[in-house]
Every structure is written in structure tokens, then in C-alpha cells.
Amino acid sequence: QVQLAESGGGLVQPGGSLRLSCAASGSIFSIYAMGWYRQAPGKQRELVAAITSGGSTNYADSVKGRFTISRDNAKNTVYLQMNSLKPEDTAVYYCNAAKVVSTYEYDYWGQGTQVTVSS
């Protein structure tokens, strides 16, 4: 079992910044990737950014140059630094972790944190 605890969401003005945190606990061995997804009203959930155990990163085109994903292995925590926020970034952001045990793959999700970009 893996538990994911998100924090850092809130209300910010356009052009502002937020940093989201996701702390993993429980059986964290064999987690090979963690990432952030978001879902806005009326839209499908989409990948925002991901980072592998080896440090490789991937970003949605809409956030490249503005968002940065990073990790602190000592704290089992991943971060999403969000700069130059736009109203279209408004969504519920979910932390995700992927884990492989033997031949089985597991996905874990946080409960979500609301990010609202508005003046």
C-alpha cells in the first residue's frame, strides 16, 4: 500500500506561483515514477508532469517553461513548482505514483488539491 498526501493548492492571481507537494508513505519500494495530473470541470484528466526514479522528466506542452517537477528522495516527496500561472491552469491536481511488484503494476492516487488562478 502507498499513501499520497498532497498539499500546496490554493488561490493565486494570474502570473503568480504555487508549489505543490506530494509525500509518499507506506510501501514505497519499487515506485518507478511519480507525477501530477489535473482535471478541470468538463475536461478529462490530463498528465501535467512526471518524473521517473532515474530523474527523467516529462511535461505537457501547455506547461513547458512554466512548471518544474522535482523530487526529494530522502523525504519521499515530489514537488511541482508552478510559475506564471494562467486561469486555464485552474483544476484539481492529483498526485500519482506507479509501482511494479513482480509482474504486477499498481497505480496510486492522492485525493487531489484545488488550484484556482483568478484575479
Side-chain angles (χ1 to χ4, degrees):
Q1 293 288 336
V2 174
Q3 293 80 45
L4 302 175
E6 302 127 323
S7 63
L11 175 65
V12 66
Q13 296 185 27
S17 299
L18 284 173
R19 189 172 80 156
L20 306 183
S21 299
C22 176
S25 61
S27 184
I28 62 173
F29 290 121
S30 299
I31 293 177
Y32 71 88
M34 296 183 69
W36 291 93
Y37 290 71
R38 68 185 181 187
Q39 187 167 22
K43 296 184 178 180
Q44 295 185 349
R45 187 174 298 186
E46 64 175 348
L47 174 69
V48 178
I51 186 167
T52 69
S53 60
S56 298
T57 58
N58 187 37
Y59 297 92
D61 288 341
S62 60
V63 306
K64 287 181 179 177
R66 299 189 297 121
F67 292 8
T68 302
I69 189 169
S70 61
R71 68 183 187 182
D72 184 340
N73 288 335
K75 296 182 178 180
N76 300 314
T77 301
V78 296
Y79 305 93
L80 185 67
Q81 179 67 47
M82 304 185 294
N83 298 326
S84 302
L85 283 162
K86 305 175 181 179
E88 50 263 44
D89 295 318
T90 296
V92 177
Y93 285 70
Y94 297 90
C95 183
N96 167 264
K99 178 180 178 181
V100 174
V101 179
S102 297
T103 60
Y104 297 94
E105 182 174 334
Y106 302 86
D107 284 298
Y108 302 90
W109 295 91
Q111 66 181 18
T113 184
Q114 177 71 47
V115 172
T116 301
V117 184
S118 176
S119 60

